[in-house]
Amino acid sequence: NINAPKVSFSYSSTATQNETRMGGLRFQNVGIPQGATVTSARIDFTPAASNNAPVTFSVKAEKVGDASIFTNASNLTSRLKTTAVSTWAAPDWTTENPPIPVEGPDVTTLVQEVVSLAGWCGNNGMAFYLEPTAGTGSRTAFSIDGAPGLQPTLTVKERLFPGILLL
């Protein structure tokens, strides 16, 4: 659906003004137990538009035990962010038929910082923020509202007990 809601991350800069935009993603019911050891974590996207211009993003998570839902009144920039940060040089995005997900940023250290918080409990909400830091490109991905099944995904591998790997 061409008019479906999409998640869009862009970067633009001019000689007289620097302008950045922050995008946010919130995942509900993230089933990672408090204190688990995160062995890998990644966010993947399904492109809703093609773009091969370079763009690099700074990715952080919200540093709370249960990320609040986003509303029209939400101020994403004022939410407390993780100390951990991931830098993601986004690959070229091409729309495909059928749609094919694109590997996104590694967020292992961000997820670890959140699940190590005393206030974290399995099945809480977890939020991530992507802010462009370089390049001229943009990336537009499908959202759950516009294309259920094509929304961004958070994939986490963890160790709860020594020797046991949960997927």
Side-chain angles (χ1 to χ4, degrees):
N1 180 349
I2 197 161
N3 295 319
K6 297 173 180 67
V7 179
S8 184
F9 304 103
S10 302
Y11 180 80
S12 59
S13 177
T14 65
T16 58
Q17 176 183 358
N18 285 331
E19 183 179 303
T20 60
R21 297 176 184 101
M22 177 185 293
L25 302 168
R26 182 178 177 272
F27 296 94
Q28 303 182 109
N29 304 317
V30 179
I32 305 169
Q34 195 277 336
T37 299
V38 178
T39 59
S40 69
R42 190 178 73 227
I43 299 172
D44 292 336
F45 302 93
T46 301
S50 297
N51 190 302
N52 64 358
V55 63
T56 300
F57 295 94
S58 171
V59 185
K60 292 186 176 185
E62 189 166 341
K63 190 174 181 171
V64 295
D66 190 10
S68 300
I69 62 170
F70 298 150
T71 65
N72 289 339
S74 293
N75 184 346
L76 302 184
T77 59
S78 66
R79 293 186 180 208
L80 183 62
K81 310 295 187 308
T82 54
T83 304
V85 62
S86 177
T87 300
W88 178 48
D92 295 354
W93 279 21
T94 304
T95 54
E96 303 285 347
N97 191 6
I100 298 173
V102 172
E103 189 173 304
D106 180 321
V107 292
T108 304
T109 58
L110 286 65
V111 172
Q112 185 66 67
E113 187 171 339
V114 173
V115 302
S116 295
L117 295 171
W120 173 261
C121 178
N123 296 322
N124 280 356
M126 189 177 291
F128 296 87
Y129 302 92
L130 290 89
E131 189 169 358
T133 56
T136 58
S138 66
R139 300 297 183 265
T140 302
F142 285 106
S143 70
I144 193 167
D145 297 325
L150 299 179
Q151 71 270 13
T153 59
L154 173 63
T155 304
V156 179
K157 294 180 183 176
E158 63 190 37
R159 282 192 196 281
L160 184 56
F161 304 104
I164 299 174
L165 178 63
L166 301 175
L167 299 175

